[in-house]
Amino acid sequence: MLLAFYIHIKYVIISFHKDTPDVAVSVTNTTVTNVTTDVRCEARGVPDRYTYITWEHTWPGHALVIRSYPGSEVLHLNKLTYEYSGNYTCRVENGVRASRNPRAGMGTAYLQVEGTLSFTVLAFYVVIYHLYKVRVLYSLWIS
């Protein structure tokens, strides 16, 4: 009977559940008079050691990345203008390979900065080129 007990203990397998992080991004809408705001990235998963990869700023409905920022738990935005409005996506990893979900380890929130639009001509050309893949033949001045 002692021998049977030893064999049973020898073959106990301990397994730990691992999963990619669920990511929640939070931000408070603001105005240009507030000058700064923080966008927060909260990750939960097993194991709970996270690497914050990157922040991406995109316009809703388009995959064009307007700005990229280094990964961190909190993104500090300064000197806010209307152009800072848009989706902010945080990418997080914890060493667990994502399954079939391409959005695993990512969270997105929309930031609205109330103010006046002040588009630059260069930015206008870049957006038109990337969205519509056409050449801009005429100058357009937006003030």
Side-chain angles (χ1 to χ4, degrees):
M1 182 145 180
L2 183 58
L3 180 61
F5 179 74
Y6 173 75
I7 292 172
H8 180 70
I9 296 294
K10 184 176 179 180
Y11 292 104
V12 171
I13 297 173
I14 299 174
S15 67
F16 296 99
H17 175 73
K18 295 181 178 181
D19 57 36
T20 55
D22 291 323
V23 180
V25 177
S26 61
V27 65
T28 302
N29 291 334
T30 188
T31 65
V32 293
T33 58
N34 287 342
V35 183
T36 65
T37 193
D38 291 337
V39 186
R40 299 188 181 281
C41 182
E42 182 181 345
R44 293 183 184 201
V46 177
D48 61 356
R49 294 180 312 267
Y50 308 114
T51 302
Y52 293 87
I53 305 299
T54 187
W55 282 97
E56 291 181 347
H57 174 208
T58 58
W59 191 249
H62 302 283
L64 173 68
V65 175
I66 298 168
R67 293 179 188 89
S68 290
Y69 302 94
S72 63
E73 195 169 346
V74 178
L75 175 63
H76 303 286
L77 299 174
N78 300 311
K79 299 180 182 177
L80 294 176
T81 61
Y82 173 79
E83 288 82 2
Y84 279 82
S85 295
N87 290 329
Y88 285 83
T89 301
C90 175
R91 295 177 187 263
V92 180
E93 290 181 357
N94 65 348
V96 177
R97 190 176 275 252
S99 59
R100 295 179 182 161
N101 182 359
R103 302 280 306 163
M106 298 170 55
T108 302
Y110 179 77
L111 170 65
Q112 176 67 44
V113 180
E114 295 290 332
T116 56
L117 178 64
S118 59
F119 236 134
T120 64
V121 173
L122 179 60
F124 176 77
Y125 288 144
V126 169
V127 168
I128 291 298
Y129 176 77
H130 283 290
L131 293 181
Y132 302 105
K133 303 291 188 227
V134 297
R135 293 181 187 210
V136 178
L137 301 176
Y138 300 101
S139 296
L140 176 63
W141 296 95
I142 301 174
S143 58

